[in-house]
Amino acid sequence: MSNLSVAKRMFLNTLSNYGLLLFNMISMIILVRVQFTGLSRQDYGFWGLLWTIFGYSLLLDFGLGTAVQKYASQVTVNKNWDRFNRLVSTVFFSYWFISLIIIAATVIISFFIEPISKLEPGSDVDYYRKVFLLFGFGTALIFPVGFSPGLLRGIQLIWLRNNIDAVFAVINLIVMVWLIKSGYGLWEMTIATVLNHVGSKIVMLIYAFIKLENMKIGFRFFSPSMIKEVMGFSIFVYLIICSKLIIFKTDNLVISASIGVAFVAYYQVASKLGDVFRSFAMQFNDNLGPVASVMHTSGDLDSLGRMQLYSSRVIAFISTMMLVPLVVFVGPLFETWLDLTRTESQICAVILLVSQYFYVVMRSSSIQILLMCDRQKELAIVSVIECLANLLISVILVRMMGIIGVAIGTLVPNIFFGCVYNVPTACRFAKVSPLYFLRYSVLGSLMTGLVIGAVTLFLKDTVYHLIVSGVLNIAADKDAGMIARYFAEHSGILKLLALVFLSALSCGMYMILFYAIGIKKQERTDLNKLVADFFNKKLKGSS
């Protein structure tokens, strides 16, 4: 496959990722409102508790889903179907064993559902226990087919996986809204949720069988000897996942234990902004693992090195474009969104955004590629050490600097291990010097970002206030129109719309400037061809 065709597939997959992400956010906003207003506070809280408890069942995956993705990528190159079928069948039946663990845990926890959920006096405890059992058994039923998205991702059909997810997400939204509006409760919502998730995973599995024509899953292929080989990879993936979970999720515990739970709220909003940034910035990364696995398996190390440079450059472009408006408008955003004016929350948000930016740009692509190139052991060691360093620095600094110290505790190990391990390793893979890597992958985006950042700061100090004060002044006129009067009464919405408009303007200016000065002539030509081919295909499909 040529570099241009690989780039085209990655481009389409990334667009598909962003489309699904946008739809899921809109769907979440609608669904949360319908559930929050249509259910009792106890039912809504219990529904959230179910997702929290069974969300931890994902840790029982033990990295097997990532292993399946790797094997699917490899078999498209080496055609070793016998080994692949034994590996996938071993994973599949291992998942059934894990499902039995989930069922046993569900039954045990169900006996303690009343003290765990602290139901109101007079509540029907048996009803909530039955809902809990149904949700747990449903989770166990979903688990064995939960690796099917990894199969599609492994053979670089991310767009197909996203299309299936989107269809079932639409069905879920319609059914959930109908159930709640019709007066149904948690029991019916749980049945609909389980059927929806099982259905989507089975459809993905069917497509995987179609695309991987020689794939077979059966108990006769189950191989106990394969468990050791699979776990030899997946257990290190599991350590990496757990380490990242600790890094991103334990800050609140450190703050609560050290300076009080009240300060968690101020840190939480800052970390949420960083989480949203990381989620949006890393959609391109979904492509890297499968492509890297194919190149590594085929021995095309030169292409793998070029892919390392190319992916880092694309990720730097996307991340810098998003970072600029978030950093500049963090103050007005917090004030408008949450009526929060605490300086320490804003400082934490900037520190965590910079930390996430460094991770996404300088580390995330190399982690994806190294993972598919059998470097999982050293990645796991680095992740565990970073996790411990993060925890230690946060505990020390939280008493000296409050929540800002916890944010610094996240930033410092991230930058240190990125500079000591990830960047040098990425350079060795790409066979370039660190200076060339930074100049090629990051410098163009960073310089463009600094210029647009200065322009955006000017927009914040002038245009933003001009828009808000201008509309409010118009609304003060007794002859003002209905829209102006609405914004006068809801100035928060006006400010939020102004921020969205100026952020979009900032991103637009960034893309134009980067297109003009941030890429070479040949890259501009390739990009034009890529975009033209995409829209020509869309036009032909609609005619």
Side-chain angles (χ1 to χ4, degrees):
M1 189 180 290
S2 67
N3 289 336
L4 190 58
S5 61
V6 170
K8 185 182 296 185
R9 177 169 289 186
M10 296 175 78
F11 174 73
L12 293 175
N13 285 335
T14 303
L15 281 182
S16 175
N17 279 348
Y18 277 111
L20 181 64
L21 182 64
L22 183 61
F23 174 81
N24 282 339
M25 288 188 66
I26 295 171
S27 176
M28 179 197 69
I29 292 170
I30 296 171
L31 202 53
V32 167
R33 175 172 175 77
V34 171
Q35 291 173 340
F36 190 79
T37 58
L39 298 173
S40 68
R41 290 294 169 268
Q42 180 163 284
D43 281 1
Y44 182 77
F46 192 78
W47 185 250
L49 180 65
L50 289 175
W51 282 101
T52 300
I53 292 174
F54 290 104
Y56 283 103
S57 67
L58 294 175
L59 293 177
L60 295 174
D61 172 80
F62 294 111
L64 295 174
T66 305
V68 168
Q69 173 202 314
K70 180 183 179 183
Y71 302 144
S73 299
Q74 290 176 340
V75 80
T76 61
V77 178
N78 59 32
K79 307 299 180 183
N80 191 345
W81 291 102
D82 178 65
R83 181 174 179 274
F84 174 73
N85 289 335
R86 285 187 289 123
L87 285 166
V88 173
S89 295
T90 300
V91 169
F92 178 73
F93 288 103
S94 297
Y95 272 143
W96 276 110
F97 176 73
I98 295 172
S99 292
L100 295 177
I101 296 175
I102 294 174
I103 290 172
T106 300
V107 172
I108 293 171
I109 296 173
S110 69
F111 290 109
F112 305 95
I113 201 64
E114 188 172 12
I116 289 174
S117 56
K118 299 193 183 302
L119 297 170
E120 296 173 358
S123 298
D124 187 350
V125 179
D126 286 338
Y127 172 76
Y128 288 102
R129 181 175 290 112
K130 289 175 182 177
V131 170
F132 183 85
L133 287 168
L134 179 62
F135 204 99
F137 292 163
T139 302
L141 183 63
I142 295 167
F143 216 85
V145 290
F147 69 92
S148 53
L151 286 170
L152 293 182
R153 186 185 176 200
I155 56 178
Q156 301 174 49
L157 291 177
I158 295 170
W159 63 268
L160 178 58
R161 179 202 66 185
N162 290 345
N163 288 347
I164 296 170
D165 270 338
V167 169
F168 279 88
V170 170
I171 295 171
N172 181 68
L173 178 62
I174 294 171
V175 171
M176 281 293 181
V177 171
W178 177 78
L179 285 173
I180 294 170
K181 294 293 184 183
S182 300
Y184 291 101
L186 297 179
W187 180 265
E188 293 80 8
M189 288 169 59
T190 301
I191 293 173
T193 298
V194 170
L195 291 177
N196 186 275
H197 279 77
V198 171
S200 68
K201 301 302 182 289
I202 289 177
V203 170
M204 289 183 195
L205 189 59
I206 291 171
Y207 270 104
F209 273 110
I210 294 172
K211 299 297 181 180
L212 295 166
E213 297 178 357
N214 296 313
M215 183 177 75
K216 296 181 179 63
I217 296 177
F219 193 73
R220 69 182 186 278
F221 296 111
F222 179 79
S223 173
S225 62
M226 281 287 180
I227 294 177
K228 183 178 179 181
E229 180 179 345
V230 173
M231 293 302 292
F233 172 80
S234 66
I235 195 64
F236 291 110
V237 176
Y238 181 71
L239 284 173
I240 294 169
I241 293 171
C242 288
S243 298
K244 294 304 175 191
L245 186 67
I246 292 171
I247 288 172
F248 292 131
K249 299 299 181 184
T250 55
D251 285 350
N252 289 343
L253 295 177
V254 171
I255 293 168
S256 177
S258 301
I259 57 176
V261 72
F263 289 92
V264 173
Y266 302 122
Y267 187 86
Q268 179 76 358
V269 294
S271 63
K272 280 289 183 185
L273 191 64
D275 291 343
V276 171
F277 167 78
R278 187 178 76 250
S279 177
F280 270 88
M282 289 186 64
Q283 292 304 307
F284 180 82
N285 294 51
D286 219 15
N287 298 277
L288 299 182
V291 174
S293 182
V294 168
M295 291 177 175
H296 177 67
T297 304
S298 61
D300 192 358
L301 299 183
D302 290 335
S303 294
L304 186 59
R306 288 193 296 271
M307 178 58 63
Q308 169 72 66
L309 290 172
Y310 171 77
S311 61
S312 297
R313 193 172 193 186
V314 172
I315 292 167
F317 164 78
I318 296 171
S319 303
T320 309
M321 178 178 65
M322 293 180 57
L323 181 73
V324 169
L326 284 174
V327 168
V328 173
F329 293 126
V330 66
L333 176 62
F334 278 2
E335 184 178 353
T336 303
W337 180 29
L338 301 167
D339 197 23
L340 179 62
T341 56
R342 290 182 73 102
T343 304
E344 57 193 309
S345 287
Q346 297 176 21
I347 293 173
C348 277
V350 172
I351 292 173
L352 293 175
L353 281 169
V354 171
S355 179
Q356 295 284 19
Y357 176 80
F358 184 87
Y359 175 80
V360 171
V361 173
M362 306 300 290
R363 304 184 67 188
S364 63
S365 60
S366 66
I367 289 173
Q368 286 282 324
I369 291 172
L370 291 170
L371 199 58
M372 293 296 127
C373 297
D374 300 324
R375 305 286 287 272
Q376 63 274 4
K377 186 175 181 179
E378 60 190 67
L379 280 170
I381 293 172
V382 170
S383 294
V384 170
I385 296 174
E386 181 186 356
C387 170
L388 296 174
N390 182 313
L391 195 59
L392 178 62
I393 296 173
S394 295
V395 168
I396 293 172
L397 294 184
V398 67
R399 295 189 179 277
M400 299 166 55
M401 306 173 67
I403 60 175
I404 295 174
V406 178
I408 293 173
T410 299
L411 174 67
V412 171
N414 180 24
I415 292 178
F416 176 80
F417 286 102
C419 293
V420 171
Y421 174 74
N422 292 95
V423 172
T425 306
C427 290
R428 284 196 294 271
F429 252 77
K431 298 178 182 177
V432 296
S433 68
L435 188 61
Y436 179 85
F437 174 80
L438 293 172
R439 187 171 68 246
Y440 176 84
S441 300
V442 182
L443 187 61
S445 297
L446 199 56
M447 295 304 295
T448 306
L450 288 173
V451 173
I452 299 302
V455 175
T456 307
L457 190 61
F458 171 78
L459 293 176
K460 172 195 170 186
D461 294 335
T462 56
V463 179
Y464 171 71
H465 296 293
L466 258 169
I467 292 174
V468 175
S469 60
V471 173
L472 292 179
N473 286 336
I474 293 171
D477 194 313
K478 62 180 182 179
D479 297 323
M482 182 176 64
I483 295 177
R485 289 199 304 272
Y486 175 82
F487 282 134
E489 296 171 3
H490 304 84
S491 59
I493 295 177
L494 171 64
K495 292 176 182 178
L496 187 61
L497 289 175
L499 288 175
V500 170
F501 168 74
L502 292 177
S503 297
L505 184 61
S506 172
C507 292
M509 291 188 298
Y510 175 89
M511 286 189 285
I512 292 170
L513 185 61
F514 187 84
Y515 179 83
I517 65 172
I519 58 177
K520 298 176 182 177
K521 184 177 179 180
Q522 184 58 47
E523 292 173 328
R524 197 176 295 114
T525 302
D526 291 343
L527 180 61
N528 292 341
K529 185 177 186 307
L530 198 63
V531 174
D533 288 348
F534 172 74
F535 284 107
N536 286 337
K537 186 179 293 185
K538 288 292 181 183
L539 288 172
K540 288 178 181 178
S542 60
S543 61

